[in-house]
Amino acid sequence: MTDLKIAGAPITWGVCEVPGWGTQLPVERVLREMREVGLSATEFGPEGFLPVDPADRAAVLRDHGLVAVGGFVPVVLHDPERDPVPALRTELEAFVAAGAGVVVLSADSGLSGYDERVELDEAGWSTLLATLVRLRDAAAEVGVLAVLHPHVGTLVESSDDVERVLAGCDVGLCLDSGHLLIGGTDPVALAQAHPERVRHVHLKDVDAATAQRVRDGDLTYYQAVQQGLYRPLGQGDVDVRSLLASLLGSGYDGWFVLEQDTVLQLLPEDGEGPVTAAGASADHLRRLAAELGL
């Protein structure tokens, strides 16, 4: 049986880079509760969640018995007047110091939050794809894998956007089962059609009816998250079982990062709140793997 590499992400605990997102739990509690549900690794979370100093960041994770997987870094890729490579090289110092192997890039719109997006012209797409390749190569120079994360409210969101990236460059993808479904891409079909492009995985489950309201413009992304867009694995409409079987069957041996984007209005009592959902997702994933004999 395959030993699944299961990691957590601070967004499951409501820790987010978007200003005004909600109550932000302290780092000590988030990391402790990750360990309580049996996770042994985590992504970094947004800027300011973990210490800025690379050595201090590595020490905090080590003190909590967690391995660093990597982190999510929004980057403006489409603006020819902005070169994100120097800033990424600085950010990667913390990745190398903590032993983190994956930087998860998103094609940031340059706006605040994920409720609006910018439509690109041909020149914008050409710049985005070329910049993405440059960032991939810069990360590779220090031994870090850079992948692109299709994400609601970014410039790579819809199924057409994803296909344009697949056709326009050879950079690997972070397959996020939630954001893909919300954007109109079947994550299972993507994993089956392009297994060689899936280099990192964020596992989410989604309420399809709420996702449709986002696509229809009835809800903003933030409102949808507040209303339960994301569910613990096995309690939504993503075919997690088929996705897991497809990924492992094609030889994927990377991390499965459990994510359930959450907005907290109040500080939950100890043992309540996000830790409950995270534990349910971890248990469900392990149970599926055992049933599949993978």
Side-chain angles (χ1 to χ4, degrees):
M1 175 177 170
T2 301
D3 184 16
L4 289 186
K5 294 159 62 176
I6 306 175
I11 187 61
T12 301
W13 278 260
V15 179
C16 184
E17 71 278 1
V18 177
W21 181 264
T23 297
Q24 303 291 289
L25 294 181
V27 63
E28 294 290 330
R29 176 168 178 176
V30 173
L31 300 184
R32 170 173 55 81
E33 290 187 348
M34 284 186 184
R35 292 294 295 142
E36 288 174 359
V37 299
L39 302 180
S40 60
T42 182
E43 289 193 355
F44 288 144
E47 183 179 355
F49 177 63
L50 293 174
V52 173
D53 180 80
D56 291 343
R57 185 182 301 193
V60 166
L61 294 177
R62 185 172 59 250
D63 290 347
H64 286 84
L66 291 166
V67 172
V69 173
F72 177 71
V73 180
V75 182
V76 175
L77 299 170
H78 64 285
D79 186 348
E81 301 301 316
R82 300 168 67 171
D83 182 4
V85 172
L88 181 68
R89 284 198 170 111
T90 299
E91 179 68 23
L92 287 172
E93 293 175 9
F95 283 66
V96 174
V102 184
V103 58
V104 182
L105 305 173
S106 72
D108 191 52
S109 67
L111 305 173
S112 178
Y114 298 114
D115 294 336
E116 301 178 71
R117 60 169 277 167
V118 176
E119 294 294 337
L120 289 183
D121 57 16
E122 289 299 321
W125 270 108
S126 178
T127 300
L128 184 153
L129 293 170
T131 305
L132 183 58
V133 170
R134 290 177 59 231
L135 291 172
R136 186 270 312 276
D137 293 345
E141 289 174 5
V142 294
V144 176
L145 171 69
V147 293
L148 178 68
H149 184 334
H151 193 292
V152 173
T154 70
L155 302 183
V156 182
E157 172 181 358
S158 70
S159 55
D160 287 345
D161 299 336
V162 174
E163 288 300 325
R164 189 146 191 172
V165 171
L166 289 170
C169 72
D170 62 352
V171 175
L173 296 181
C174 170
L175 186 154
D176 184 302
S177 54
H179 282 282
L180 286 170
L181 188 147
I182 298 164
T185 297
D186 180 343
V188 178
L190 177 64
Q192 293 172 342
H194 301 282
E196 76 287 351
R197 297 297 289 272
V198 179
R199 306 296 304 280
H200 193 57
V201 174
H202 286 177
L203 276 184
K204 292 183 173 74
D205 212 340
V206 174
D207 177 71
T210 306
Q212 187 61 53
R213 294 184 67 194
V214 175
R215 286 193 293 272
D216 292 343
D218 294 338
L219 291 175
T220 67
Y221 180 70
Y222 182 71
Q223 290 169 337
V225 175
Q226 289 180 303
Q227 294 186 27
L229 172 63
Y230 296 111
R231 305 291 176 82
L233 294 184
Q235 298 181 32
D237 295 297
V238 173
D239 188 352
V240 181
R241 182 188 184 94
S242 294
L243 180 58
L244 182 65
S246 178
L247 289 168
L248 295 179
S250 66
Y252 177 76
D253 61 357
W255 288 98
F256 292 90
V257 181
L258 302 182
E259 287 193 331
Q260 184 182 335
D261 295 25
T262 301
V263 175
L264 295 175
Q265 301 300 338
L266 299 171
L267 188 69
E269 296 290 331
D270 271 350
E272 298 179 1
V275 66
T276 303
S281 288
D283 289 344
H284 183 75
L285 183 57
R286 295 185 187 108
R287 188 161 54 249
L288 280 181
E291 292 173 0
L292 292 167
L294 297 170

